[in-house]
Amino acid sequence: MNAEDFVAWVRRAAELVAADADRLTRLDAAIGDGDHGHNMDRGFRAATDAISGGTLPEDAPPGKVLMTAGRAIVSKTGGASGPLYGTALRRAGKALGDTADVDAAALGAALRAALDGVRELGKATEGDKTMVDALAPAVAAYEAALADGSDLAGCVRAAAGAAGEGAEATVPMQARKGRASYLGPRSTGHLDPGAASTALVLGALADVVAQGG
Amino acid sequence: MVGIVVISHSRALAEGVVEVARAMGVGKAVVEPAGGDLEGGLGTSVDLVEGAVATADDGDGVLLLADLGSSVLTAKMVIEDAGGESLLLADAPLVEGAVAAASMAATGADLAAVHAAAESAYDHRKTR
């Protein structure tokens, strides 16, 4: 994947988030503060603007694309998703360094760095009913596919599939982080909005790679 | 003097906590608010937090206090981005922590002492 593919990923993520903003907000209204769709939409729009306008040098490597997008998300997203997604993208970008052409192993390392960053910042572990419940299985599935000899497209497909399944698996969980955790057992029976949006962002990556990225 | 930044989802709440903390800091403590989003609505703005830190910092370090959720995450991220050891986040209740920190900062104490004072606020119980 080159820098253009990473720009395309952020754009596609922004499209999917915009299309699903109302659903994300409804999910968040059930157990959170009801702003997740709006915040994510605003953040990813800002990210798209930051990497499309003349602000980014034309020869910027993939890592710089993700770090710039991450900074924009941090600045423009009002809720907890700003620091969390911002950290994820910036850590992934940092892991990619100055590499111009990202191979399957490098992308896997970047996704792992994103997960580590989110865990460190939010102190959430799997089972807490957060975005980690989508991101952690996605990274694990990516790494397993890579170890099995899959190409980049295969690894990304595995990750996106695992993220979707991971998000669905948050439904019966009782929240242990964020506003939903105040609800105790009443937080069960709902899909976690952060896990749902994480599945969208990884789905966007699969879309872009499938289109020949 | 160690500066103090109060981060809240609400501009009014941050300003109110700062008002109380400044009074307890006997007019000497430097306490700056970073409340709400850039438009004045509920939320957290990394730009407002970084701006408040810059205003509060005279070289002796800054203690951050945050209400919850994204305020805490934003504070942690700003500290990570700043690097070094001149910024600390207190694990403390917002009002009590800010009052304790401002009281200690006004004595000219260093960042470690102001941080410890803020964190000791949890020990001041109200019904026992």
Side-chain angles (χ1 to χ4, degrees):
Chain A
M1 287 175 72
N2 59 24
E4 265 178 47
D5 299 323
F6 281 87
V7 171
W9 174 19
V10 175
R11 274 215 186 104
R12 181 67 182 146
E15 282 171 16
L16 293 181
V17 164
D20 252 0
D22 288 345
R23 180 180 71 101
L24 293 176
T25 289
R26 271 201 309 278
L27 291 173
D28 196 31
I31 52 173
D33 55 356
D35 61 4
H36 190 56
H38 174 73
N39 283 342
M40 286 291 289
D41 187 27
R42 194 156 81 152
F44 272 84
R45 263 177 221 274
T48 304
D49 289 347
I51 57 176
S52 317
T55 48
L56 198 63
E58 273 188 23
D59 58 349
K64 179 82 180 162
V65 170
L66 292 187
M67 287 174 72
T68 304
R71 176 71 206 182
I73 286 173
V74 168
S75 287
K76 297 293 179 206
T77 315
S81 44
L84 290 168
Y85 276 98
T87 293
L89 289 181
R90 292 196 303 169
R91 288 288 183 94
K94 208 169 160 188
L96 293 177
D98 292 330
T99 316
D101 196 10
V102 174
D103 63 13
L107 183 58
L111 292 173
R112 167 63 63 181
L115 171 62
D116 289 348
V118 167
R119 273 189 174 143
E120 212 175 286
L121 184 64
K123 304 276 181 241
T125 54
E126 279 177 81
D128 285 350
K129 198 180 184 96
T130 71
M131 66 187 289
V132 169
D133 290 307
L135 191 53
V139 173
Y142 188 105
E143 288 170 349
L146 186 67
D148 282 346
S150 293
D151 60 2
L152 189 146
C155 293
V156 167
R157 257 198 319 275
E165 288 166 20
E168 288 300 326
T170 63
V171 172
M173 291 177 187
Q174 182 171 327
R176 289 197 290 257
K177 290 283 167 190
R179 181 191 180 277
S181 64
Y182 298 135
L183 305 182
R186 292 184 187 196
S187 63
T188 61
H190 302 279
L191 184 65
D192 177 65
S197 59
T198 298
L200 289 180
V201 173
L202 288 165
L205 178 60
D207 288 353
V208 166
V209 169
Q211 281 161 19
Chain B
M1 183 175 292
V2 172
I4 298 158
V5 168
V6 175
I7 309 167
S8 167
H9 279 67
S10 150
R11 183 178 288 182
L13 180 54
E15 287 174 352
V17 172
V18 164
E19 183 187 5
V20 174
R22 279 180 182 157
M24 299 294 184
V26 290
K28 289 193 212 159
V30 176
V31 192
E32 294 296 325
D37 64 15
L38 282 173
E39 290 85 45
L42 292 181
T44 316
S45 158
V46 69
D47 297 332
L48 287 180
V49 174
E50 287 177 345
V53 167
T55 304
D57 190 8
D58 70 357
D60 289 339
V62 177
L63 182 75
L64 309 183
L65 289 123
D67 59 2
L68 70 170
S70 60
S71 296
V72 177
L73 298 178
T74 301
K76 286 184 182 172
M77 208 185 53
V78 166
I79 290 170
E80 188 189 330
D81 286 357
E85 288 164 6
S86 64
L87 299 184
L88 283 179
L89 172 65
D91 183 3
L94 195 69
V95 181
E96 295 87 335
V99 165
S103 304
M104 183 59 87
T107 69
D110 65 10
L111 181 58
V114 174
H115 179 253
E119 297 209 335
S120 76
Y122 271 129
D123 300 332
H124 295 257
R125 314 303 303 222
K126 294 177 187 178
T127 59
R128 58 190 163 86

